[in-house]
Amino acid sequence: MECSVAIQVLPMDSATDEDTIRVVDAVIAKIQEYDVNPYVGPFETAIEGDYDTCMEVLRQCQLTAVEAGCGQVMTYAKINYKPGGAVLSTEKKVGKYHEQEQ
């Protein structure tokens, strides 16, 4: 795993909180179609995998939000990329804080 990305999608023209949740749920469902070990948090979803797959997922997040009805979407990404090497996994970073959830 050479890449990890934290993705936050913000629908800019949602009329209600429920509409925002609906769009974000559609984006999360799209992310879950990929083999990227998604970790859903309250503000962003983290993914990990090879660089090209992670960048395609990031691209699809925006397109999915638009398909879900957004006229404008802001997408924030934090990308950790280590060509030819391995980045720290989500499990290694935060697993000890979530052991009781398993």
Side-chain angles (χ1 to χ4, degrees), residues 39-53:
Y39 183 89
V40 178
F43 293 101
E44 62 191 14
T45 297
I47 62 171
E48 50 196 20
D50 68 87
Y51 180 80
D52 289 336
T53 301

Side-chain angles (χ1 to χ4, degrees), residues 52-63:
D52 289 336
T53 301
C54 288
M55 293 302 101
E56 177 60 20
V57 170
L58 183 58
R59 178 181 167 291
Q60 288 298 321
C61 287
Q62 293 176 281
L63 297 176

Side-chain angles (χ1 to χ4, degrees), residues 2 14 20 28 30 32 35 50 59 74 82-83 85 87 89 92:
E2 64 186 7
S14 292
T20 298
I28 292 168
K30 176 57 78 172
Q32 291 174 330
D35 184 24
D50 68 87
R59 178 181 167 291
M74 295 287 288
K82 187 175 182 181
V87 297
S89 70
K92 183 83 170 173

Side-chain angles (χ1 to χ4, degrees), residues 1-44:
M1 172 187 64
E2 64 186 7
C3 187
S4 61
V5 183
I7 304 168
Q8 181 184 40
V9 173
L10 300 173
M12 298 304 292
D13 53 358
S14 292
T16 65
D17 289 345
E18 290 75 20
D19 195 39
T20 298
I21 291 168
R22 180 188 59 76
V23 172
V24 171
D25 284 348
V27 171
I28 292 168
K30 176 57 78 172
I31 291 170
Q32 291 174 330
E33 293 177 10
Y34 292 84
D35 184 24
V36 290
N37 191 29
Y39 183 89
V40 178
F43 293 101
E44 62 191 14

